[in-house]
Amino acid sequence: MRLISGVEEWRSFADAQRRTNRRVGLVPTMGALHAGHTSLFEVAKKHGDVVIATRFVNPRQFDDPGDLDRYPRTPEVDRALAEAHGVDCLVEPTLAAMWPAYPGPTPTTVTVRGLSDVLEGAARPGHFDGVASVVAKLLTVTGPCRVYFGEKDFQQLAVIRQMVSDLSFAVEVVGCAMVRDADGLALSSRNVQLSDVARRRALALSRAVAAVAEAPASASEHRRRLRATLKSADLDVVYAEVVNPVTFVSSVDTDSGDARALVAAKVDGVRLIDNGPVVLKGEP
Ligand code: PAF
């Protein structure tokens, strides 16, 4: 596996792959890799010829400096996991290479209005501007055929799809199924911050999402059930919402058909998210 940190070396590695007609798949990550990430590497490897992964903890998507400091960093483990799961090139760009003006404001920002303003975006101001801006840069330097993201960050996936469509990036965005631990907890780099007790309480997020997936109900009944399950574990609920899975507009009780339930909660100060499909039974 090739390790690269400089932008020019990264660009010429990707250019060389395309010149020899090799299909490049890009998997952006912030490191602290787990089975959710390695599943993306494996899907990318099946689809294409070369897998480029990036490992960059992007400060522009953190609204809380404490959260950025606490974000887990496991570079040695990440390199071993990437290599073992088929990554051909791991790019670890420096902060200066990605955002030369940081910590000053970077003059250029990509904003996806609407989708970025609700749920995660409302709870973490500027978060999706940071995500869209960094992903735009990763796509520009790499020029992949496909880019891979997990459905755990369902709203992030929607924001990126919108950006790719609006800015005509020549890339297919591939959303991959969420990976869960055997007990149902969605895999997240933040799970290592949970004590054993907090981890057990955190299972209320996956229970909440699984419970509403079982039977069609009105939007407000789904919301009530989500909130009740989270509250039963005494979690600090950030949101428990049901939305249109493409527009992220809040569902109303007359809506029927497919929607998405999304929850975010803090467990002993650790912020976790989960989501899953729901069916709405519209009320007349
Ligand atoms: O999902 C993540 O790990 C990050 O938001 C991403 C897409 C790598 C951008 O920094």
Side-chain angles (χ1 to χ4, degrees):
M1 182 181 76
R2 178 105 170 245
L3 258 186
I4 293 180
S5 59
V7 171
E8 284 321 315
E9 189 187 351
W10 162 20
R11 196 194 302 275
S12 47
F13 176 84
D15 285 350
Q17 309 308 314
R18 284 192 304 276
R19 269 201 304 279
T20 49
N21 290 328
R22 304 181 86 202
R23 288 161 308 166
V24 176
L26 172 67
V27 185
T29 83
M30 296 207 299
L33 300 182
H34 51 64
H37 298 109
T38 58
S39 72
L40 302 181
F41 301 153
E42 283 165 8
V43 175
K45 194 75 183 178
K46 268 193 209 124
H47 283 174
D49 303 308
V50 179
V51 179
I52 299 182
T54 57
R55 187 178 76 79
F56 176 63
V57 182
N58 173 30
R60 289 185 63 188
Q61 67 187 77
F62 287 80
D63 59 315
D64 168 4
D67 191 24
L68 174 60
D69 289 345
R70 282 190 303 274
Y71 199 82
R73 288 161 172 89
T74 55
E76 299 302 329
V77 175
D78 292 348
R79 289 174 200 144
L81 276 175
E83 180 148 36
H85 290 271
V87 172
D88 299 286
C89 172
L90 179 63
V91 182
E92 301 179 330
T94 60
L95 183 55
M98 290 301 285
W99 307 128
Y102 190 84
T106 303
T108 304
T109 292
V110 180
T111 298
V112 179
R113 291 207 186 85
L115 284 175
S116 297
D117 301 332
V118 297
L119 302 179
E120 281 300 285
R124 303 172 70 190
H127 170 65
F128 285 122
D129 287 1
V131 170
S133 302
V134 80
V135 172
K137 182 151 177 163
L138 301 177
L139 290 173
T140 303
V141 179
T142 314
C145 301
R146 296 193 176 99
V147 62
Y148 297 83
F149 298 95
E151 284 191 343
K152 202 206 98 207
D153 294 294
F154 197 75
Q155 189 176 359
Q156 167 173 283
L157 183 57
V159 167
I160 290 164
R161 285 192 196 285
Q162 188 70 51
M163 177 191 78
V164 161
S165 161
D166 288 348
L167 299 183
S168 302
F169 278 101
V171 67
E172 181 189 341
V173 179
V174 183
C176 298
M178 196 185 314
V179 180
R180 296 180 181 279
D181 263 333
D183 57 10
L185 188 70
L187 293 192
S188 161
S189 302
R190 294 174 193 273
N191 290 355
V192 294
Q193 299 171 344
L194 297 168
S195 66
D196 287 350
V197 175
R199 198 187 178 291
R200 276 196 294 281
R201 287 174 54 220
L203 293 176
L205 281 103
S206 51
R207 269 206 317 278
V209 166
V212 293
E214 275 166 17
S218 68
S220 39
E221 178 56 19
H222 280 315
R223 278 186 201 108
R224 195 195 59 72
R225 284 189 201 159
L226 289 169
R227 204 163 269 278
T229 311
L230 298 174
K231 282 285 175 197
S232 71
D234 204 21
L235 303 192
D236 182 4
V237 181
V238 181
Y239 57 78
E241 249 300 3
V242 177
V243 300
N244 176 296
V246 179
T247 63
F248 275 70
V249 169
S250 275
S251 302
V252 293
D253 286 349
T254 46
D255 289 343
S256 1
D258 292 338
R260 200 83 185 178
L262 296 106
V263 292
K266 283 190 180 160
V267 191
D268 282 357
V270 182
R271 198 172 184 290
L272 298 174
I273 58 174
D274 206 329
N275 72 83
V278 283
V279 177
L280 295 175
K281 191 170 77 178
E283 290 176 351

